[in-house]
Amino acid sequence: MKNQKKIENRRFFLLIVFLFSTSFITLKTLKKVNVHEIIISGSKLFEQSDVLKNSSLKLPIRLILINTNFLEKELKQNLSLKNISVSRQILPFGLRVHLNTRTPIAYGERILDNKKISGFIDEEGIFISKQNIDYENLDNLTLQVFGWKEKFKNVLSEILIAQKNYDFELIAITFSPNGFLTLEEKDLKTIYLGFNLNLINYQLQIIDNLKNELKKNNFSEKIDNLDLTDPNKPKIKVFKP
């Protein structure tokens, strides 16, 4: 009987603890979040005010009503973030926003509403606005990208990754308003790639092969431009004295 009584008391105690915990959590999630209760981690670049400016979040709002998935999508897009995690937190109470910023590897320029906007480009070909960059961790950049558009980010990423893996040194990547792609390389100078962006991997391999061949053969003439618009018929133009 004593053991049975102990078991019943333990069950009763656990039930009380469960009910108390459930009530506590429920009350906390119903509490309204204010701006000072936004907890930011992962980056010192952004503050609570940046979360509000770059999202549709309106405070104060009950913690349980915050759509974390939608908020993540908004902030990732508007702050040019690599990754973001937004979660409701009970202890300490608040909204936790963990940010992972992008690392720029080139200067960038885009046209928006007929205005040139300067910024940066990361390895994924994503345009990053100046205000979303941590200048303290910014390495010396020499590459420039002109004419950036959302639709060019994938091919741009392929070029940036290829430069890291291949033996050529790009100075500039330019997309004209009508989509014609041109590269500027240290030794090959102007390289015309054209409109067909599906050929980019083949064209990049040709550039790398050509650079290696020129080195092997001690090619001394100065190159003016390389036309790879038809990669099966590359054309090299050299300076004539």
Side-chain angles (χ1 to χ4, degrees):
M1 290 293 292
K2 287 183 178 180
N3 288 337
Q4 182 65 31
K5 187 69 173 176
K6 285 182 179 179
I7 292 172
E8 289 178 359
N9 288 338
R10 182 175 177 79
R11 285 176 178 173
F12 179 74
F13 174 75
L14 291 174
L15 178 61
I16 294 298
V17 170
F18 173 75
L19 291 174
F20 176 79
S21 300
T22 304
S23 300
F24 175 77
I25 293 171
T26 301
L27 288 172
K28 278 289 187 179
T29 56
L30 291 175
K31 183 181 174 183
K32 290 185 177 181
V33 179
N34 288 291
V35 65
H36 66 276
E37 290 165 323
I38 297 176
I39 307 159
I40 296 177
S41 61
S43 173
K44 296 179 180 179
L45 182 62
F46 300 106
E47 300 176 346
Q48 289 95 334
S49 58
D50 295 304
V51 173
L52 298 180
K53 284 182 207 172
N54 292 278
S55 73
S56 56
L57 183 65
K58 303 296 180 186
L59 299 181
I61 184 175
R62 298 189 191 281
L63 183 64
I64 198 171
L65 298 179
I66 298 175
N67 187 334
T68 55
N69 290 333
F70 184 71
L71 186 56
E72 284 175 351
K73 290 177 182 177
E74 283 187 313
L75 293 174
K76 186 175 182 180
Q77 174 69 30
N78 296 335
L79 295 177
S80 304
L81 298 170
K82 190 174 183 66
N83 285 304
I84 179 170
S85 173
V86 179
S87 57
R88 305 181 193 93
Q89 187 168 285
I90 303 300
L91 290 173
F93 175 81
L95 186 71
R96 178 168 290 280
V97 181
H98 185 79
L99 309 172
N100 186 359
T101 56
R102 294 184 178 275
T103 302
I105 62 172
Y107 292 104
E109 183 180 279
R110 65 183 298 191
I111 305 296
L112 188 62
D113 298 328
N114 295 319
K115 293 180 180 179
K116 287 183 180 180
I117 300 176
S118 298
F120 299 88
I121 307 292
D122 81 337
E123 193 173 74
E124 294 179 14
I126 301 296
F127 186 89
I128 314 167
S129 299
K130 284 183 175 181
Q131 64 268 26
N132 297 333
I133 287 293
D134 185 355
Y135 285 88
E136 289 183 3
N137 299 320
L138 193 62
D139 294 327
N140 292 327
L141 305 179
T142 57
L143 178 60
Q144 293 182 296
V145 177
F146 301 99
W148 183 94
K149 289 182 181 179
E150 182 78 19
K151 64 181 180 180
F152 297 143
K153 67 180 183 181
N154 291 333
V155 69
L156 182 54
S157 179
E158 290 183 54
I159 296 170
L160 295 172
I161 292 172
Q163 181 188 225
K164 187 170 65 174
N165 298 327
Y166 290 162
D167 187 24
F168 54 78
E169 186 178 339
L170 295 178
I171 299 168
I173 302 170
T174 302
F175 296 93
S176 70
N178 61 358
F180 191 95
L181 175 58
T182 305
L183 306 181
E184 193 73 24
E185 204 272 336
K186 182 181 177 182
D187 298 314
L188 299 175
K189 305 307 178 184
T190 304
I191 306 172
Y192 302 113
L193 299 184
F195 296 103
N196 191 349
L197 302 182
N198 294 321
L199 297 173
I200 189 63
N201 285 321
Y202 184 30
Q203 291 168 320
L204 291 170
Q205 288 173 10
I206 292 173
I207 294 170
D208 184 52
N209 292 337
L210 183 58
K211 282 272 293 188
N212 290 328
E213 286 299 317
L214 293 176
K215 282 184 179 180
K216 285 180 185 178
N217 294 296
N218 295 318
F219 189 80
S220 59
E221 294 188 71
K222 290 186 177 180
I223 296 173
D224 180 56
N225 64 66
L226 169 63
D227 188 343
L228 290 179
T229 50
D230 182 352
N232 293 314
K233 298 178 182 179
K235 301 174 185 177
I236 298 179
K237 182 180 179 182
V238 298
F239 282 106
K240 292 183 180 179

